[in-house]
Amino acid sequence: MRAMLLVNPKATTTNARRRDVLIRALGAAVELTVEQTRYRGHAAALATTAHAKGYDVVAVLGGDGTINEAVNGLLNAVNGDDPAYQDDPSAGRPALIVIPGGSANVFARDLGLPNDPVEATGAVLEALRDGRRRTVGLGQALWENESRYFTFGAGMGYNAEVIRAVEGLRGTGRKATPTRYVNTALRHYLATDKRHPAMTLSGPGIPAAKGVYMAIISNASPWTYIGTRPVLPTPWAGFETGLDLLGLQEIGVTSILPAIRQILTERDTLPSGRHLVQLHDESEFTLAADRPVAFELDGDYLGERESVTFRSIPNALQVLV
């Protein structure tokens, strides 16, 4: 089995010594080529190259951002004329191996992998030995003339504004710790416009919902983690179903605190409240805004948008897990 390993040398939870150990362990199990990512978008280009050269597997040692890039490289490289792709889209491209190396590692944890890269490598080696593969669906966001796939989730509005603020802090050399996310969210909430919601939700067969302040879109659950605590706005979301959504039409203290309490509680029931908008297992919907609002995919801030359509892409990728 030929595998290309994409290594983000700036990954939060790994160092050169640990990376060398993981590379040797994988190299003993597969015919391994190692490539380091050097710039934004490089992982996508490398994954596209791996597909073109006929690699069986693309492995990623990095955080959710690096994994997202690799996934987009794999999906954008697909040849629709390939008979394997026509029969099963996931079989027409290399399988994916995920080794968590970031601060949150949401995709890896949603797949059931340990959050520690050494333990996750052990689990991946077992999957390789036993031939275990899982076919997962992905999400796709489309806006203007652009599109991008996502593995676990997306967001528009206040939640994406928090990610934008944290990325700004990271640009000054500060780490994206759970405490920093919480503190940034609290500070940002105090300055947020709580009187003028911008977004409207619509879609095929979906009653339009106006006055949405923020929207959480999920392809899996949990949507994210605060340290070891899962965040569960859409507990029914999964890689084998369509997309889920939780929208808030009020974000005053008396409305948002009960919602926060519910999504931080492990449970298998949906959040309840008068000002919540919820979707489950949907194939497509659109969020349109009367002014540009913050937008993120897989924890990566992508600027401000006035309209984004979200689609479910079933059976998109095989993962060794």
Side-chain angles (χ1 to χ4, degrees):
M1 179 181 289
R2 295 174 63 227
M4 179 183 287
L5 172 64
L6 312 184
V7 178
N8 180 357
K10 297 181 180 180
T12 306
T13 57
T14 62
N15 53 41
R17 183 175 180 180
R18 176 173 276 195
R19 288 194 293 270
D20 288 344
V21 170
L22 302 181
I23 289 169
R24 285 198 296 270
L26 278 176
V30 297
E31 182 184 338
L32 191 66
T33 299
V34 181
E35 299 282 355
Q36 288 198 0
T37 60
R38 298 192 301 272
Y39 52 84
R40 189 180 182 95
H42 195 196
L46 291 169
T48 300
T49 298
H51 182 278
K53 291 185 175 181
Y55 279 82
D56 303 295
V57 173
V58 170
V60 182
L61 172 56
D64 288 311
T66 307
I67 293 167
N68 179 279
E69 285 191 13
V71 166
N72 275 271
L74 289 175
L75 267 72
N76 288 330
V78 163
N79 178 7
D81 297 326
D82 187 333
Y85 175 76
Q86 297 293 338
D87 295 337
D88 178 1
S90 70
R93 56 179 64 96
L96 180 70
I97 286 176
V98 176
I99 303 174
S103 57
N105 306 311
V106 179
F107 184 50
R109 294 159 86 176
D110 283 354
L111 288 168
L113 286 168
N115 196 33
D116 178 82
V118 175
E119 294 181 10
T121 301
V124 165
L125 292 174
E126 288 182 5
L128 281 167
R129 182 192 64 206
D130 299 339
R132 293 198 311 266
R133 295 189 178 208
R134 178 180 179 184
T135 301
V136 301
L138 298 172
Q140 184 184 28
L142 304 95
W143 65 97
E144 298 173 359
N145 295 319
E146 298 184 57
S147 70
R148 184 161 165 177
Y149 297 95
F150 57 97
T151 60
F152 61 87
M156 291 185 71
Y158 167 72
N159 44 332
E161 293 170 8
V162 173
I163 288 175
R164 174 176 61 193
V166 172
E167 286 195 3
L169 293 173
R170 291 181 67 182
T172 65
R174 304 180 191 182
K175 292 184 178 181
T177 64
T179 300
R180 177 148 290 127
Y181 270 104
V182 172
N183 290 340
T184 302
L186 291 173
R187 287 197 303 270
H188 198 71
Y189 175 76
L190 297 175
T192 296
D193 180 354
K194 304 176 184 63
R195 296 185 178 181
H196 303 97
M199 292 183 287
T200 297
L201 170 70
S202 63
I206 299 172
K210 299 181 179 180
V212 178
Y213 280 96
M214 61 174 282
I216 293 170
I217 300 95
S218 300
N219 186 51
S221 185
W223 178 65
T224 190
Y225 295 81
I226 300 176
T228 60
R229 180 186 289 273
V231 180
L232 302 161
T234 53
W236 297 351
F239 293 118
E240 288 75 33
T241 61
L243 298 178
D244 287 23
L245 174 142
L246 175 69
L248 274 65
Q249 292 174 302
E250 283 195 8
I251 56 173
V253 172
T254 57
S255 300
I256 200 168
L257 286 182
I260 291 173
R261 184 166 55 248
Q262 291 181 76
I263 68 176
L264 292 179
T265 301
E266 293 194 47
R267 69 197 191 290
D268 57 7
T269 57
L270 296 176
S272 60
R274 291 190 302 113
H275 304 289
L276 301 182
V277 179
Q278 301 182 81
L279 299 177
H280 170 60
D281 194 14
E282 292 289 344
S283 60
E284 179 179 323
F285 51 83
T286 296
L287 285 164
D290 56 20
R291 62 179 183 272
V293 297
F295 168 50
E296 62 88 10
L297 287 182
D298 282 351
D300 186 14
Y301 177 66
L302 295 181
E304 294 185 335
R305 309 291 173 211
E306 293 184 3
S307 180
V308 180
T309 295
F310 298 90
R311 291 178 181 165
S312 173
I313 310 297
N315 303 319
L317 194 65
Q318 292 184 9
V319 184
L320 282 87
V321 66

